[in-house]
Structures are given as C-alpha cells and as structure tokens.
C-alpha cells in the first residue's frame, strides 16, 4: 500500500455536544491529540493510525473508556471520507448505561496515552483514493480530579478532536496484504435463529424469548405512536423537548425516521432478529450495516418493559441506528444529555439515538 501524502496533526481537543450538569465547567480542555499514519512492516499503510493524547493540566483527567481510541473500536470515534464522500462506519453502535467507577480511564497530570487503531476493521478502506480521517469524540461525563467537568460554560461537553489526517490509499495493496478479508472487528456470528411470532431469536432461552417478545410488542406500539404524533403536524413540548426548535425540514426528518423505524419494527417474517449472546454490561448494540439484528445485553434484561431506558425503548434506540432505517449516531447518552442536545444542537438531536428513544418512550408524558 502506498501513501503518497500524509498530513500529521496536533490539535487542542474542543467542541460541543451536550449535557448540563451541576458541576462546574473546566476553563479549557486540557487534552491534546496528535495522529499519524501507522506504517506497516512493508513500509506501506494498511489502515492503522497512531493516536497520542496528552493531559496538559495539573490534575488527573477521568474519561469513559469508550470515548478514547483503543485497539478494539466500540464506538464511532472517527469520521472517515474517501474522495470527499463519507465512508460508512461498520463497527458496533452501543446503548450504554451511565458509566460506573470501573468504566473510566485515568490520565494523570502530564501523562500521555498512545494507541494504534486499525480503522480498516470498522471502515471500508479497501478502495483506492484519498482518505481523510478525523478523530472526533464527545467527552460526556469526563472530568478533572478537582471536580470540574470537561464541558463548556453553556453545558456542552468538550470534544476530543484532531486535525484531519490525509492519506492516499492504494486499495489493491491493502487487499493483497490482508488476504482480501477486511473484516477485523470480530463481529459475532449470526445464526438463523428460531422464529417466534414473526421475530427471530438467536441463543435465547424460553424466558428470554418471552421477555424480548413482549419488548417487541411494546416497541411496535412506541414506533406507531411516534409516527402518528409526527403525522399530526401539531408541534408540542414532546417534540421540542427531544428534537429542539421547530423547522419544517427538521420535522420532516423526524417524521421520516419514525416512518422507517415503525416499518422496520413491524416486519413479521423473521427479519427482526434478537440475539441474546451478549454478556456485556450494555443495554444492547447493533452493527449499522447489518439490519435488523439487535444484540441485547445485561442491562436490557434488568430494564423495565416500558418507560425511561426500557426494553421497548432500547429496541427503538437500536433500530434507529441501522443505515437502512435512520442511520443515527450516539452523540450523547441519557435524558439530561438528550434534552440539552435538543436545545443546543437540534440537528445533532435528530441524529442521536437516545433522543429517538426518549421521544418514543415519552416519559414523563407530554403532548
């Protein structure tokens, strides 16, 4: 693989996406990032980048691990384009509970974190062209050891963001070097499953099939209700709380999303697949290019059937992620973050899976 030009980068992490909290905001973002192409043993470039993050403050920084680059991608941390066109993210999209103490990475004062990330495991980089790669990850729940949150004065979390890295990739070299197999993200296998009431179940016990089946029924009610609300063209607090100030274009986008979510949820010939093989602490996850399989995890089984962060709402959240449905992202998690996002950045709220879930759950009830 030949790299004709590489622009390495060093930039102050900054940005926005949001949750308001009671803790004071940090005066500035103490983290600095640089990113360069990782050279293969042959001297070429096979899709890996080296990311360096340094804590320039006098305090320890706590960051949820999934918001930092690692050797296994659990979130869409990078924006990648080829010849000016976005390259689809093919890695897992995860609905997570609030982070616990063990979920944080610590960067002590002056400490540097260095990581090599194989982008080709989560993005299709097998085609020849000019690629532009940018690290961009919201630092929700990140804080300094003095209690200050890594957020701006307006409540928006800061963002770990690099200057774009430009790479020329010869796709034929990459395919030859990797034996034509670019799927390195260790996706779990997907079996045919057992079909019950029109829904496929993989690796599920009878009890799990019953519980997930009830969640599917309630999720269908949620999607139908959300679609009907938006079809009514009456703007109320339910819409503005979760999707922000009204414009006809944004309303149209929300309506299209719920028409698509409802259509996907209503499939009844085994297309919707619930996979019970996940033992992580998550609620659930999906691969956005692999509809309509939803991997449900430990937090899903302990969640209520309906209401805030429910089983039914989780299915709405995950269904919205599929590119064939609404193609949403995970900018922020939780009701507080979703509400703040709707106020500060309605366009991002329309691209955030939790905002779709909370609009559908409508708890507490709003017109």
């Amino acid at each position: 693989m030949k790299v004709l030009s590489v622009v390495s980068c060093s930039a102050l992490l900054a940005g926005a996406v949001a949750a308001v909290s009671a803790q004071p905001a940090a005066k500035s973002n103490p983290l600095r990032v640089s990113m360069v192409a990782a050279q293969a043993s042959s001297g070429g470039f096979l899709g890996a980048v080296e990311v360096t993050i340094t804590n320039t403050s006098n305090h320890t920084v706590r960051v949820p691990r999934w918001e930092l680059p690692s050797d296994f991608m659990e979130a869409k941390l990078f924006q990648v384009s080829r010849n000016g066109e976005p390259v689809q993210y093919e890695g897992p999209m995860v609905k997570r509970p609030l982070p616990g103490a063990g979920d944080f990475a610590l960067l002590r004062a002056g400490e540097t974190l260095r990581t090599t990330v194989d982008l080709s495991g989560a993005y299709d980089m097998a085609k020849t062209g000019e690629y532009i790669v940018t690290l961009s990850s919201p630092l929700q729940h990140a804080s300094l050891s003095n209690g200050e949150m890594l957020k701006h004065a307006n409540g928006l979390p800061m963002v770990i963001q690099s200057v774009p890295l430009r790479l020329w990739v010869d796709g034929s070299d990459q395919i030859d070097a990797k034996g034509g197999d670019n799927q390195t993200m260790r996706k779990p296998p997907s079996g045919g499953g057992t079909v019950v009431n029109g829904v496929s179940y993989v690796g599920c016990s009878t009890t799990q099939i019953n519980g997930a089946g009830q969640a599917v029924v309630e999720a269908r009610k949620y999607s139908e209700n959300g679609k009907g609300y938006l079809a009514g063209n009456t703007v109320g607090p339910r819409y503005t709380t979760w999707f922000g100030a009204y414009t006809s274009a944004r309303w149209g986008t929300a309506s299209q999303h719920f028409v698509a979510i409802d259509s996907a949820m209503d499939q009844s010939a085994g297309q919707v697949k619930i996979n019970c093989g996940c033992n992580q602490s998550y609620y659930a996850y999906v691969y956005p290019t692999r509809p309509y399989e939803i991997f449900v995890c430990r937090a899903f089984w302990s969640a209520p059937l309906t209401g805030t962060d429910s089983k039914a709402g989780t299915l709405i959240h995950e269904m919205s992620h599929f590119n064939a449905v609404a193609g949403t992202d995970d900018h922020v998690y939780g009701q507080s973050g979703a509400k703040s996002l709707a106020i500060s950045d309605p366009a991002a709220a329309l691209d955030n899976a939790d905002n779709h879930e909370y609009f559908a759950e409508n708890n507490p009830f709003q017109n």
Side-chain angles (χ1 to χ4, degrees), residues 33 72 95 119 138 160 176 179 214 234 240 243 268 277 308 317 367:
V33 60
F72 175 63
K95 175 174 167 61
L119 296 174
I160 177 172
D176 290 343
Q214 292 174 13
T234 301
T240 56
F243 294 129
S268 58
T308 302
H317 174 116
N367 290 318

Side-chain angles (χ1 to χ4, degrees), residues 3-357:
V3 179
L4 300 187
S5 63
V6 176
V7 180
S8 64
C9 52
S10 181
L12 181 66
L13 306 181
V17 184
V20 177
S21 86
Q23 294 91 338
K27 295 180 177 63
S28 62
N29 194 326
L31 300 178
R32 290 184 180 274
V33 60
S34 64
M35 185 167 67
V36 297
Q39 299 297 307
S41 57
S42 61
F45 173 72
L46 296 181
V49 293
E50 294 177 352
V51 182
T52 301
I53 299 171
T54 301
N55 176 10
T56 64
S57 76
N58 295 322
H59 303 281
T60 296
V61 175
R62 299 169 71 246
V63 182
R65 296 180 187 279
W66 57 79
E67 296 174 358
L68 296 173
S70 67
D71 56 359
F72 175 63
M73 296 187 68
E74 293 185 273
K76 184 181 176 182
L77 303 186
F78 295 83
Q79 302 297 323
V80 180
S81 67
R82 179 180 58 249
N83 299 333
E85 295 295 325
V87 175
Q88 288 186 343
Y89 173 72
E90 299 176 348
M93 302 287 288
V94 181
K95 175 174 167 61
R96 306 174 187 276
L98 290 172
D103 293 323
F104 287 89
L106 302 180
L107 278 77
R108 293 174 174 79
E111 186 175 0
T112 294
L113 172 70
R114 292 184 177 86
T115 309
T116 299
V117 182
D118 182 6
L119 296 174
S120 68
Y123 300 86
D124 181 6
M125 302 186 74
K127 296 179 181 178
T128 299
E130 181 185 61
Y131 286 74
I132 298 178
V133 178
T134 306
L135 171 64
S136 180
S137 173
L139 295 171
Q140 190 181 19
H141 306 300
S143 65
L144 300 175
S145 54
N146 65 358
E148 294 179 353
M149 303 298 294
L150 294 190
K151 64 178 184 179
H152 299 288
N154 62 1
L156 301 178
M158 297 174 182
V159 174
I160 177 172
Q161 185 157 338
S162 71
V163 168
L165 174 65
R166 296 177 180 270
L167 303 161
W168 178 264
V169 173
D170 185 330
S172 60
D173 282 357
Q174 186 185 59
I175 292 173
D176 290 343
K178 295 197 173 187
D181 181 5
N182 195 35
Q183 302 302 313
T184 61
M185 71 186 91
R186 302 190 297 275
K187 287 184 183 178
S190 177
T194 300
V195 178
V196 179
N197 294 328
V199 178
S200 296
Y201 296 91
V202 178
C204 302
S205 68
T206 300
T207 299
Q208 288 174 324
I209 289 174
N210 290 336
Q214 292 174 13
V216 170
V217 170
E218 296 301 323
R220 287 170 173 166
K221 294 178 183 177
Y222 275 157
S223 63
E224 181 69 28
N225 180 270
K227 181 182 73 171
Y229 176 96
L230 293 162
N233 292 316
T234 301
V235 181
R238 178 180 178 183
Y239 175 86
T240 56
T241 296
W242 303 116
F243 294 129
Y246 170 84
T247 69
S248 60
R250 289 199 292 262
W251 182 280
T253 297
S255 180
Q256 291 169 11
H257 284 183
F258 270 87
V259 167
I261 291 169
D262 185 60
S263 177
M265 286 301 314
D266 281 348
Q267 296 174 106
S268 58
Q271 299 96 329
V272 176
K273 184 180 295 185
I274 305 297
N275 192 313
C276 299
C278 172
N279 194 36
Q280 300 291 335
S281 61
Y282 320 143
Y283 284 94
Y285 68 94
V286 300
Y287 293 92
T289 58
R290 197 161 104 180
Y292 298 91
E293 185 168 22
I294 300 174
F295 296 80
V296 292
C297 308
R298 294 206 307 266
F300 177 86
W301 300 115
S302 60
L305 179 61
T306 58
T308 302
D309 290 316
S310 62
K311 290 184 179 72
T314 294
L315 297 183
I316 297 294
H317 174 116
E318 297 301 337
M319 190 62 78
S320 77
H321 276 319
F322 291 119
N323 294 340
V325 180
T328 61
D329 205 337
D330 287 316
H331 297 286
V332 295
Y333 294 104
Q335 280 198 336
S336 176
K339 287 179 180 178
S340 181
L341 188 60
I343 293 170
S344 60
D345 192 346
L350 279 169
D351 188 46
N352 193 58
D354 257 2
N355 286 70
H356 290 72
E357 175 179 342

